[in-house]
Amino acid sequence: MIWNRIKVLRAEQDWTQADLAEKVGISRQAVISIEKYKYTPSLELAFKIAETFGISIDKVFEHRKEE
């Protein structure tokens, strides 16, 4: 599973899901799906999300073994 901190990072920036979606160029529904672990973003999209927050990709996404 690819774990992410998108919801926390959005809150720190005071961004809505729609705000992040617009900045990254995806739909709000895509942001929701990523946050709820229903969709794993492509590597390109993951880098784009990290760049939007101004941090490295490993500060946003992490691979975790499913238990």
Side-chain angles (χ1 to χ4, degrees):
M1 172 184 244
I2 303 297
W3 174 84
N4 71 74
R5 297 183 56 232
I6 294 174
K7 189 172 185 176
V8 171
L9 293 167
R10 279 193 311 97
E12 289 174 357
Q13 297 292 326
D14 199 29
W15 293 347
T16 65
Q17 291 167 332
D19 292 333
L20 178 60
E22 184 177 330
K23 292 174 188 304
V24 178
I26 60 176
S27 69
R28 181 177 152 272
Q29 289 76 15
V31 172
I32 292 167
S33 293
I34 294 167
E35 286 184 356
K36 291 186 175 185
Y37 305 103
K38 293 181 179 181
Y39 170 71
T40 301
S42 67
L43 188 56
E44 181 179 2
L45 179 55
F47 272 105
K48 195 170 185 179
I49 291 169
E51 288 170 6
T52 300
F53 285 114
I55 57 179
S56 64
I57 194 169
D58 64 324
K59 302 287 185 202
V60 182
F61 296 96
E62 177 184 326
H63 179 261
R64 291 188 179 176
K65 291 182 182 179
E66 292 192 38
E67 296 178 10

